[in-house]
Amino acid sequence: MAPPSRKKNKSSSSSSSGRRDRISGLPDSLLGHVLSYLPNKEAGRAAALGRRWRDIFCSVHTISFEEEEGEREEDWETYFIEVEERRSCSNDLLDTISAALFRRRRRYGSTASGLPVPLRRFGFTFDRYSHWDKVAVDQLLFDVLRHADKELHLDLRFLIGPICNRRNGDDGEWIIHHEDWAHILPRRLFSCTAVRTLCLGHCNLNLPEAINLPFLQTLRLTGILGDDSGETIQKLISGCPSIADLTLEANDGLEKVVVLDKRLRRLALRCCHNLKKASIDASELMSLDYSGAVPEESFLSLHGSPAVSSCTIDFCKATPTKPDLARFRRFLRMVSPSKHLRLHHRVLDAQFFAVFPSFPSLTRLELHGPIRSSNTVDAVRMILEQTPKLEVVSLDMDDPERRELEEGEETQERAMYRERLNRRGADDDHQQCHQSCHDPVELIVPNPSSYSIRCLRRRVKEINMVSYRCDVQHRVLASLLFRNALVLERMCVVFVKKGPSELQEQLMKEIESWVVAKPEKSFM
């Protein structure tokens, strides 16, 4: 009888172990590491799982909270006019961050060495920062910097808003507080050797005489304020010997930047419209991201042996003038060795792409911008003719102006957009689209042989089309691409939202009838 009894006990033990909560049995440091990948508010809800999880949030290595865009929009009247006492508009944000940091100190002590999981990432985002929040923000930063251990990544943003107003046709309207109200960062921040990433937005740097950030690898500066902001930005860059990833956004005070004593691997220059000269050591540069106007020939100097493999180009406001054409070509030739190109063309005139230089090594191409006329379809053809090794083509054809026109009520802005369509000669296409929206007619497209592009017929293995609609130009472009992609392996077409399901089914069948190869198909 003994062996059966032992077998029964063993079975009972296995059953018991099978019901055991093995996840709760993991150490605090490991559970905190897992929760660190969730938004802090969701990670904090884990305390409701049971007594074991009550203090696990104290072991997360990331503290980051942010306000929502527009959250402070109605506070100006409440806190600035009706209330005599200068109360903070962001009490909830500051109190939440303070509570999260206090819980860590209360459980593990006041020194970094007492923490089983030192804080690795800290960040906050204000919808609109108020200058009387300075004391509270400085106290938070003092606490974080004092307890920094071996590695610290900071993301401090004092405003949520568009990086560049020129995209909307504005001339820099007042969207932020006065510069005198900007937060002045504590100088202790620039002497914390644990900092590896530093992202700062819409604040005053207030640099000390000597900067001690020997291990800083990623630096991102957005909308830095102050009369001497250009000089302080250059001083900060020069004082960080290990920078490999540099991003400069909407810094209007910056006129010149020099990075010749460091070997950057990634550089992003976005909407710094007063920047006249950028001299970069590009011997190890792998990624270049540029947003702004079509630059002058002397704007960017890449020293060394540039071998940029990934490039993103986004023009805020393109004006197809003859000087722009020449500058556009020279700028593209500078990055022609790239293997991956993202181009936000924003309805550039087709003559821009008539001067498109050869990209002999390009294997992946992403074009972002609306397809409103046959000229834009021709522009795509011109680009494909200059990319003999292209393997992946992605077209994001979203048209925000047209989407608002179709979904919203008629306004003065939408009426002006209709007039622009008429001036471009696209009104016939617009009417034809509406006529065929419920019954796609058979298209009369050019002979496939007239679209015989070598990369398309021999190399392209993947085609992606996003924001596809029942539009004449969209359908012509899709027809020409899929009918000539002879070695296609994968394809994906994403239709515009809120389209009739019956119409999408008709469009899907139409697209399938054009496909010559037998790729993996995906329609969404």
Side-chain angles (χ1 to χ4, degrees), residues 200-386:
L200 304 174
H202 302 286
C203 57
N204 193 310
L205 295 182
N206 188 32
L207 298 180
E209 290 297 327
I211 299 172
N212 187 21
L213 297 172
F215 306 113
L216 182 69
Q217 297 179 348
T218 301
L219 177 63
R220 180 172 182 170
L221 303 175
T222 304
I224 300 303
L225 303 173
D227 296 335
D228 60 344
S229 59
E231 298 176 2
T232 57
I233 289 174
Q234 180 63 64
K235 180 179 178 180
L236 178 57
I237 295 174
S238 301
C240 302
S242 302
I243 290 181
D245 187 340
L246 176 62
T247 300
L248 301 174
E249 297 177 326
N251 296 301
D252 294 336
L254 185 64
E255 298 182 359
K256 182 179 179 181
V257 61
V258 179
V259 190
L260 295 177
D261 57 341
K262 304 167 186 61
R263 297 192 173 182
L264 296 178
R265 298 185 62 83
R266 180 182 178 276
L267 172 66
L269 300 174
R270 302 193 185 111
C271 303
C272 297
H273 297 297
N274 294 323
L275 184 62
K276 302 295 189 299
K277 181 70 174 179
S279 300
I280 308 297
D281 181 354
S283 55
E284 295 185 9
L285 192 65
M286 302 297 294
S287 176
L288 176 64
D289 186 343
Y290 173 79
S291 297
V294 180
E296 298 288 344
E297 183 177 3
S298 60
F299 169 76
L300 184 62
S301 299
L302 300 179
H303 300 265
S305 301
V308 179
S309 61
S310 178
C311 182
T312 300
I313 301 175
D314 185 2
F315 296 114
C316 297
K317 197 174 182 181
T319 304
T321 61
K322 290 184 178 180
D324 286 337
L325 291 174
R327 295 198 301 268
F328 178 69
R329 179 177 176 83
R330 286 192 293 266
F331 184 71
L332 287 181
R333 289 183 62 183
M334 189 178 299
V335 296
S336 59
S338 301
K339 296 181 179 180
H340 186 184
L341 175 64
R342 303 179 190 88
L343 179 60
H344 298 252
H345 59 81
R346 299 186 183 278
V347 204
L348 285 176
D349 194 276
Q351 58 181 322
F352 265 70
F353 300 100
V355 297
F356 201 85
S358 175
F359 278 73
S361 302
L362 195 69
T363 60
R364 181 181 293 269
L365 174 66
E366 298 181 24
L367 296 176
H368 298 258
I371 308 294
R372 293 176 180 167
S373 68
S374 58
N375 288 335
T376 313
V377 176
D378 290 338
V380 176
R381 174 185 58 81
M382 296 173 187
I383 294 176
L384 294 179
E385 289 176 345
Q386 300 297 325

Side-chain angles (χ1 to χ4, degrees), residues 333-481:
R333 289 183 62 183
M334 189 178 299
V335 296
S336 59
S338 301
K339 296 181 179 180
H340 186 184
L341 175 64
R342 303 179 190 88
L343 179 60
H344 298 252
H345 59 81
R346 299 186 183 278
V347 204
L348 285 176
D349 194 276
Q351 58 181 322
F352 265 70
F353 300 100
V355 297
F356 201 85
S358 175
F359 278 73
S361 302
L362 195 69
T363 60
R364 181 181 293 269
L365 174 66
E366 298 181 24
L367 296 176
H368 298 258
I371 308 294
R372 293 176 180 167
S373 68
S374 58
N375 288 335
T376 313
V377 176
D378 290 338
V380 176
R381 174 185 58 81
M382 296 173 187
I383 294 176
L384 294 179
E385 289 176 345
Q386 300 297 325
T387 55
K389 294 185 178 180
L390 195 64
E391 296 181 358
V392 179
V393 181
S394 297
L395 303 172
D396 187 346
M397 305 176 291
D398 184 35
D399 191 341
E401 290 181 338
R402 180 172 176 178
R403 179 162 25 90
E404 292 180 3
L405 179 66
E406 294 175 345
E407 295 179 357
E409 298 180 355
E410 187 74 15
T411 62
Q412 182 178 1
E413 291 76 9
R414 297 189 179 104
M416 294 174 61
Y417 172 58
R418 289 187 185 275
E419 293 180 4
R420 289 200 300 270
L421 283 178
N422 294 335
R423 289 197 299 268
R424 291 173 183 149
D427 190 53
D428 293 340
D429 292 341
H430 191 65
Q431 292 178 1
Q432 189 174 357
C433 167
H434 284 293
Q435 291 173 0
S436 60
C437 272
H438 298 288
D439 184 20
V441 297
E442 182 66 24
L443 291 177
I444 301 177
V445 298
N447 190 306
S449 62
S450 66
Y451 206 73
S452 179
I453 299 175
R454 184 174 182 179
C455 74
L456 190 61
R457 301 177 70 87
R458 299 184 181 183
R459 306 277 302 192
V460 173
K461 299 179 180 179
E462 180 177 342
I463 296 178
N464 304 298
M465 302 187 75
V466 181
S467 297
Y468 189 88
R469 64 172 67 240
C470 181
D471 181 275
V472 171
Q473 303 305 334
H474 286 200
R475 296 164 65 201
V476 169
L477 182 57
S479 174
L480 293 174
L481 290 176

Side-chain angles (χ1 to χ4, degrees), residues 40-89:
N40 279 165
K41 290 185 178 180
E42 295 185 11
R45 295 191 185 105
L49 295 177
R51 181 179 299 178
R52 171 68 181 89
W53 292 81
R54 183 173 56 187
D55 295 319
I56 297 301
F57 183 79
C58 300
S59 298
V60 300
H61 55 66
T62 299
I63 300 295
S64 179
F65 293 94
E66 60 184 30
E67 294 180 326
E68 296 182 0
E69 185 174 0
E71 189 173 341
R72 302 276 72 83
E73 186 174 356
E74 303 297 333
D75 290 341
W76 291 93
E77 181 177 356
T78 303
Y79 290 101
F80 289 69
I81 299 177
E82 296 180 0
V83 181
E84 295 182 0
E85 179 186 0
R86 291 185 171 182
R87 300 170 54 193
S88 171
C89 299

